[in-house]
Amino acid sequence: MKIEGGCYCGAVRYAAEGKPVMKAQCHCRQRQYFSGGAPNMFMIMPADGFAYTKGEPRRFARKDLLTPRTREFCGECGTHLLTLRPGLDAVILKVGTFDDPSQFGLPRAAIFTEDKQAFHCSRRTAGV
Ligand SMILES: [Zn+2]
């Protein structure tokens, strides 16, 4: 599959092609900072099929962690685009940055649900 996407202001664009490695929703406390509080919806795509097609992202990795994730985001509008995990030859794309977020379909799993907040809807609480 091919996914195209970018940030809110359009300064940074990307394309990702290949077979999705995983798609899920993450409830971990760390991701809540980047999502605004909601679970983070992500799709992992192979690194060799990924390229920025416009602009260059800014990067951030915490210096106080042994194996920090690198977060790439638009330096203009601040949209968080993806995460890189040490040892993972793939990009962890944020589904909200897809041109067509419906390409995500449904998550295959919910992870770090121990950090789930009471206000996070689930299939059961949402009545779906
Ligand atoms: Zn932007």
Side-chain angles (χ1 to χ4, degrees), residues 6-12 73-79 81:
C7 68
Y8 181 64
C9 77
V12 182
F73 57 97
C74 174
E76 295 296 318
C77 70
T79 300
L81 298 157

PDB file of all heavy atoms in Angstrom, residues 6-12 73-79 81, ligand 1:
ATOM      1  N   GLY A   6       1.378  14.336   5.609  1.00  0.00           N
ATOM      2  CA  GLY A   6       2.204  15.478   5.955  1.00  0.00           C
ATOM      3  C   GLY A   6       1.643  16.195   7.162  1.00  0.00           C
ATOM      4  O   GLY A   6       0.686  15.743   7.794  1.00  0.00           O
ATOM      5  N   CYS A   7       2.248  17.327   7.429  1.00  0.00           N
ATOM      6  CA  CYS A   7       1.874  18.088   8.624  1.00  0.00           C
ATOM      7  C   CYS A   7       0.684  19.004   8.357  1.00  0.00           C
ATOM      8  O   CYS A   7       0.238  19.163   7.218  1.00  0.00           O
ATOM      9  CB  CYS A   7       3.075  18.884   9.116  1.00  0.00           C
ATOM     10  SG  CYS A   7       3.535  20.201   7.978  1.00  0.00           S
ATOM     11  N   TYR A   8       0.230  19.643   9.383  1.00  0.00           N
ATOM     12  CA  TYR A   8      -0.950  20.516   9.322  1.00  0.00           C
ATOM     13  C   TYR A   8      -0.751  21.702   8.379  1.00  0.00           C
ATOM     14  O   TYR A   8      -1.662  22.083   7.645  1.00  0.00           O
ATOM     15  CB  TYR A   8      -1.262  21.001  10.742  1.00  0.00           C
ATOM     16  CG  TYR A   8      -2.456  21.897  10.874  1.00  0.00           C
ATOM     17  CD1 TYR A   8      -3.736  21.443  10.570  1.00  0.00           C
ATOM     18  CD2 TYR A   8      -2.315  23.211  11.325  1.00  0.00           C
ATOM     19  CE1 TYR A   8      -4.837  22.264  10.704  1.00  0.00           C
ATOM     20  CE2 TYR A   8      -3.402  24.045  11.464  1.00  0.00           C
ATOM     21  CZ  TYR A   8      -4.664  23.572  11.153  1.00  0.00           C
ATOM     22  OH  TYR A   8      -5.747  24.397  11.284  1.00  0.00           O
ATOM     23  N   CYS A   9       0.451  22.276   8.359  1.00  0.00           N
ATOM     24  CA  CYS A   9       0.671  23.480   7.531  1.00  0.00           C
ATOM     25  C   CYS A   9       1.136  23.156   6.119  1.00  0.00           C
ATOM     26  O   CYS A   9       1.179  24.037   5.267  1.00  0.00           O
ATOM     27  CB  CYS A   9       1.652  24.432   8.216  1.00  0.00           C
ATOM     28  SG  CYS A   9       3.385  23.956   8.099  1.00  0.00           S
ATOM     29  N   GLY A  10       1.521  21.915   5.866  1.00  0.00           N
ATOM     30  CA  GLY A  10       1.943  21.516   4.525  1.00  0.00           C
ATOM     31  C   GLY A  10       3.428  21.693   4.245  1.00  0.00           C
ATOM     32  O   GLY A  10       3.887  21.410   3.144  1.00  0.00           O
ATOM     33  N   ALA A  11       4.211  22.157   5.208  1.00  0.00           N
ATOM     34  CA  ALA A  11       5.643  22.384   4.983  1.00  0.00           C
ATOM     35  C   ALA A  11       6.418  21.081   4.848  1.00  0.00           C
ATOM     36  O   ALA A  11       7.447  21.033   4.170  1.00  0.00           O
ATOM     37  CB  ALA A  11       6.229  23.220   6.126  1.00  0.00           C
ATOM     38  N   VAL A  12       5.947  20.023   5.511  1.00  0.00           N
ATOM     39  CA  VAL A  12       6.633  18.730   5.461  1.00  0.00           C
ATOM     40  C   VAL A  12       5.658  17.677   4.942  1.00  0.00           C
ATOM     41  O   VAL A  12       4.541  17.554   5.452  1.00  0.00           O
ATOM     42  CB  VAL A  12       7.165  18.314   6.854  1.00  0.00           C
ATOM     43  CG1 VAL A  12       7.922  16.985   6.755  1.00  0.00           C
ATOM     44  CG2 VAL A  12       8.060  19.390   7.443  1.00  0.00           C
ATOM     45  N   PHE A  73       9.033  15.957  13.631  1.00  0.00           N
ATOM     46  CA  PHE A  73       7.859  16.834  13.607  1.00  0.00           C
ATOM     47  C   PHE A  73       8.142  18.051  12.742  1.00  0.00           C
ATOM     48  O   PHE A  73       9.298  18.374  12.454  1.00  0.00           O
ATOM     49  CB  PHE A  73       7.484  17.251  15.035  1.00  0.00           C
ATOM     50  CG  PHE A  73       8.594  17.930  15.774  1.00  0.00           C
ATOM     51  CD1 PHE A  73       8.658  19.315  15.823  1.00  0.00           C
ATOM     52  CD2 PHE A  73       9.587  17.210  16.414  1.00  0.00           C
ATOM     53  CE1 PHE A  73       9.681  19.966  16.494  1.00  0.00           C
ATOM     54  CE2 PHE A  73      10.632  17.843  17.092  1.00  0.00           C
ATOM     55  CZ  PHE A  73      10.677  19.215  17.128  1.00  0.00           C
ATOM     56  N   CYS A  74       7.079  18.737  12.339  1.00  0.00           N
ATOM     57  CA  CYS A  74       7.223  19.953  11.548  1.00  0.00           C
ATOM     58  C   CYS A  74       7.716  21.086  12.442  1.00  0.00           C
ATOM     59  O   CYS A  74       7.116  21.375  13.480  1.00  0.00           O
ATOM     60  CB  CYS A  74       5.887  20.334  10.910  1.00  0.00           C
ATOM     61  SG  CYS A  74       5.955  21.921  10.051  1.00  0.00           S
ATOM     62  N   GLY A  75       8.793  21.733  12.009  1.00  0.00           N
ATOM     63  CA  GLY A  75       9.344  22.844  12.778  1.00  0.00           C
ATOM     64  C   GLY A  75       8.499  24.097  12.692  1.00  0.00           C
ATOM     65  O   GLY A  75       8.669  25.029  13.464  1.00  0.00           O
ATOM     66  N   GLU A  76       7.582  24.145  11.725  1.00  0.00           N
ATOM     67  CA  GLU A  76       6.707  25.305  11.565  1.00  0.00           C
ATOM     68  C   GLU A  76       5.449  25.181  12.414  1.00  0.00           C
ATOM     69  O   GLU A  76       5.127  26.064  13.197  1.00  0.00           O
ATOM     70  CB  GLU A  76       6.319  25.470  10.083  1.00  0.00           C
ATOM     71  CG  GLU A  76       7.461  25.803   9.168  1.00  0.00           C
ATOM     72  CD  GLU A  76       8.079  27.155   9.480  1.00  0.00           C
ATOM     73  OE1 GLU A  76       7.330  28.111   9.746  1.00  0.00           O
ATOM     74  OE2 GLU A  76       9.321  27.249   9.456  1.00  0.00           O
ATOM     75  N   CYS A  77       4.710  24.094  12.208  1.00  0.00           N
ATOM     76  CA  CYS A  77       3.408  23.975  12.877  1.00  0.00           C
ATOM     77  C   CYS A  77       3.429  22.996  14.050  1.00  0.00           C
ATOM     78  O   CYS A  77       2.463  22.923  14.809  1.00  0.00           O
ATOM     79  CB  CYS A  77       2.322  23.581  11.883  1.00  0.00           C
ATOM     80  SG  CYS A  77       2.440  21.891  11.257  1.00  0.00           S
ATOM     81  N   GLY A  78       4.523  22.232  14.197  1.00  0.00           N
ATOM     82  CA  GLY A  78       4.657  21.356  15.353  1.00  0.00           C
ATOM     83  C   GLY A  78       3.997  19.998  15.238  1.00  0.00           C
ATOM     84  O   GLY A  78       4.058  19.198  16.169  1.00  0.00           O
ATOM     85  N   THR A  79       3.381  19.709  14.096  1.00  0.00           N
ATOM     86  CA  THR A  79       2.720  18.409  13.945  1.00  0.00           C
ATOM     87  C   THR A  79       3.732  17.274  14.081  1.00  0.00           C
ATOM     88  O   THR A  79       4.749  17.248  13.382  1.00  0.00           O
ATOM     89  CB  THR A  79       2.048  18.300  12.559  1.00  0.00           C
ATOM     90  OG1 THR A  79       1.090  19.335  12.427  1.00  0.00           O
ATOM     91  CG2 THR A  79       1.366  16.937  12.398  1.00  0.00           C
ATOM     92  N   LEU A  81       4.964  13.843  13.236  1.00  0.00           N
ATOM     93  CA  LEU A  81       4.733  13.007  12.053  1.00  0.00           C
ATOM     94  C   LEU A  81       5.023  11.536  12.294  1.00  0.00           C
ATOM     95  O   LEU A  81       4.261  10.675  11.881  1.00  0.00           O
ATOM     96  CB  LEU A  81       5.598  13.513  10.898  1.00  0.00           C
ATOM     97  CG  LEU A  81       5.278  14.942  10.454  1.00  0.00           C
ATOM     98  CD1 LEU A  81       6.474  15.567   9.755  1.00  0.00           C
ATOM     99  CD2 LEU A  81       4.065  14.949   9.553  1.00  0.00           C
TER     100      LEU A  81
HETATM  101 ZN    ZN B   1       3.764  22.030   9.366  1.00  0.00          ZN
END
